[in-house]
Every structure is written in C-alpha cells, then in structure tokens.
C-alpha cells in the first residue's frame, strides 16, 4: 500500500482559493464572516447593498454567493432572481428569524439553500461545501444519483444489491423508498423540490397523486430515523420539498 505517496501528490497539487461573494449590509456580520471564511480558506469579496452585489458579481465571477435577504437598494430576492437569469453560481440566502415565508420564495427564485440568522459558522461552512459539491452549471437534470455517496448519517446503501443498513442493521426498503433515499443522500444538504423528487423516483410522466411522495417519506422515516416524529435525517422544507441532513 503506497498511501504516503498518494498523500504527497495530493499535497503537491496547487489549489486556488474559491471566491465567495458576501452580500451583507450589517458591518458586524461582514467583519465576522470575512474573517471566518478567510480562515476556512475562501477568498472573500464584499458587497453592501443589492446594486453593488450585481456589480461585484460581474467583476469577481465568484464561486459562491452568500446573499442576505434584507438589503438596501435592492432586495436579496431580486438580486437572486437577476443573477439566476445569467448564471448558475451556487447561492445561499441568509435570512433573519421570522422570514420563513420568504425562504420558500428564495428557493423558488433559484437559491440553492438558505441559512437563518443567527447561525453557527460551522453550519454555514457545511452548507457552503454541500452546494459547492455540485459542479458549476449543474441543474436539476444532472442531480447526483448517489453512486459514490452511499454512506452518510449512519445510513449505508448498496445500490447493486439494493440493500440498506441503518446504524449497522439491515432494513427492508421497498423499491421506490430505496430510490428516494438514494436521491436524497446523493445530494446532502441540498433542498430537493417535490417536483424534482417525483421526477427522479417516479419519472417525468408520473400523473398520480403527489401525496404519494409524502407517504413514502413518512415510511422512510419510520425505517431510518431514531425518532420518526422529530426527524433529523430527512428535513421537510415546508411548501418546497425535502433535504437530507445526515453528516
Ligand atoms: Ca440585512
């Protein structure tokens, strides 16, 4: 086993820092985030209102955008909508407590995910890495099918044999339940809309009741969650869809 050799070549690889465009008007957040993200190895560029966000976006060509919802001059939603018309750059919306209705709209206008203030740096960076795992230019048609990532959050899937293990014990999932879990686990930390999930699991020509999806999620939870009534692995994003949160 030549582990040391492969480690060495990995270290020798030169990696450029990813650029994060931070759109935020509260100075205390700007300072804390700039420091924290730089510490995580990101290069941070800052815009302090919506109009400036569009300018800095055009100049800096960022790899990811952290976009505050409430901004002077132009709202975060409008900025998101405008950028989405020209780019598929990952966008994470930052909302304040009580703006939950807006988060639904945020995902509808093309944000990849959202975090709610106050959040922990660790949580934010985990979300950022999750959306960055998708290569730029991906859209819903290129969702990961979970071939590589088959072990997460205590769940292990064996796609070849269609066997599933939960915290070490085998559980028996029906075909569609297995497929649904596989799509969710293949896109950890990412909100998948109901339409996308139905399309992926039942096919784009599916015309049945969309309640079918909820029934399958409910059954999946009884199989994989420690407490199905307060799920930790499959999170419901009300009015939008579901997200796999295992780490
Ligand atoms: Ca703000």
């Amino acid at each position: 086993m030549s582990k040391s050799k492969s480690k060495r070549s990995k270290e020798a690889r030169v990696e450029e820092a990813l650029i994060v465009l931070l759109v935020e008007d509260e100075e205390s957040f700007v300072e804390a985030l700039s420091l924290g993200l730089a510490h995580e190895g990101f290069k941070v560029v800052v815009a302090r209102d919506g109009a400036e966000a569009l300018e800095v976006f055009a100049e800096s060509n960022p790899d990811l955008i952290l976009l505050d919802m409430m901004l002077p001059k132009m709202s975060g939603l409008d900025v998101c909508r405008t950028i989405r018309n020209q780019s598929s750059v990952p966008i994470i919306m930052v909302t304040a407590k009580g703006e939950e209705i807006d988060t639904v709209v945020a995902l509808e206008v093309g944000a990849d995910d959202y975090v709610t203030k106050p959040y922990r740096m660790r949580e934010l960076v985990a979300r950022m890495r999750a959306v960055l795992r998708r290569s730029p230019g991906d859209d819903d048609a290129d969702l990961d099918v979970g071939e590589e990532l088959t072990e997460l959050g205590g769940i292990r899937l064996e796609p070849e044999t269609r066997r599933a293990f939960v915290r070490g014990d085998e559980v028996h999932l029906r075909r569609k339940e297995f497929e649904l879990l596989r799509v969710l686990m293949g896109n950890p930390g990412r909100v998948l809309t109901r339409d996308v999930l139905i399309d992926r699991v039942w096919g784009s020509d599916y015309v049945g009741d969309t309640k079918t999806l909820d029934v399958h999620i409910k059954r999946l939870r009884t199989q994989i969650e420690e407490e199905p009534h307060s799920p930790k692995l499959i999170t419901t994003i009300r009015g939008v869809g579901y997200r796999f949160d295992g780490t």
Side-chain angles (χ1 to χ4, degrees), residues 47-192:
R48 287 178 172 78
D49 64 55
E52 196 186 346
L54 297 180
E55 284 166 30
V56 179
F57 171 73
E59 289 162 9
S60 61
N61 190 26
D63 297 287
L64 184 142
I65 302 177
L66 275 181
L67 182 56
D68 189 32
M69 186 84 86
M70 302 288 281
L71 291 166
K73 292 189 186 173
M74 189 177 179
S75 78
L77 285 177
D78 286 337
V79 173
C80 183
R81 203 180 277 120
T82 305
I83 289 178
R84 206 29 105 230
N85 280 337
Q86 40 182 299
S87 166
S88 58
V89 61
I91 299 175
I92 297 179
M93 292 289 285
V94 180
T95 68
K97 240 184 182 172
E99 291 177 346
E100 270 157 46
I101 291 167
D102 282 350
T103 61
V104 174
V105 183
L107 296 167
E108 279 172 1
V109 299
D112 295 82
D113 201 355
Y114 66 88
V115 292
T116 305
K117 287 176 183 173
Y119 49 79
R120 289 191 187 150
M121 194 67 197
R122 251 179 82 185
E123 184 201 350
L124 176 67
V125 172
R127 297 286 185 85
M128 288 171 63
R129 299 219 191 276
V131 297
L132 282 166
R133 239 175 261 140
R134 301 163 50 209
S135 55
D138 273 7
D139 57 22
D140 288 340
D142 301 316
L143 275 184
D144 294 336
V145 290
E147 292 289 359
E148 310 117 50
L149 197 55
T150 51
E151 189 160 7
L152 199 63
I155 316 287
R156 183 161 56 88
L157 300 182
E158 290 183 5
E160 322 78 48
T161 57
R162 209 172 278 283
R163 294 173 75 189
F165 299 85
V166 176
R167 294 173 287 278
D169 296 327
E170 182 163 14
V171 295
H172 297 282
L173 300 180
R174 297 176 197 187
R175 189 185 179 84
K176 295 296 187 196
E177 291 165 2
F178 188 94
E179 285 306 318
L180 185 56
L181 184 56
R182 191 174 160 191
V183 173
L184 285 164
M185 282 177 67
N187 298 274
R190 182 178 174 194
V191 180
L192 299 181

Side-chain angles (χ1 to χ4, degrees), residues 6 8 15 21 39-40 43 72 83 88 121 149 222 235-236:
S6 69
R8 209 171 149 170
E15 283 185 29
L21 169 55
H39 184 72
E40 293 287 334
K43 183 172 187 284
I83 289 178
S88 58
M121 194 67 197
L149 197 55
T222 65
T235 302
T236 303

Side-chain angles (χ1 to χ4, degrees), residues 181-232:
L181 184 56
R182 191 174 160 191
V183 173
L184 285 164
M185 282 177 67
N187 298 274
R190 182 178 174 194
V191 180
L192 299 181
T193 64
R194 302 176 59 82
D195 283 351
V196 163
L197 287 169
I198 289 169
D199 189 59
R200 284 281 136 175
V201 178
W202 283 270
S204 54
D205 51 356
Y206 180 76
V207 288
D209 189 347
T210 63
K211 280 267 179 284
T212 301
L213 173 62
D214 303 306
V215 171
H216 278 73
I217 292 280
K218 195 175 174 187
R219 279 215 302 252
L220 256 186
R221 281 174 171 156
T222 65
Q223 299 269 37
I224 70 169
E225 299 279 359
E226 281 182 293
E227 292 172 65
H229 291 291
S230 52
K232 299 262 190 308

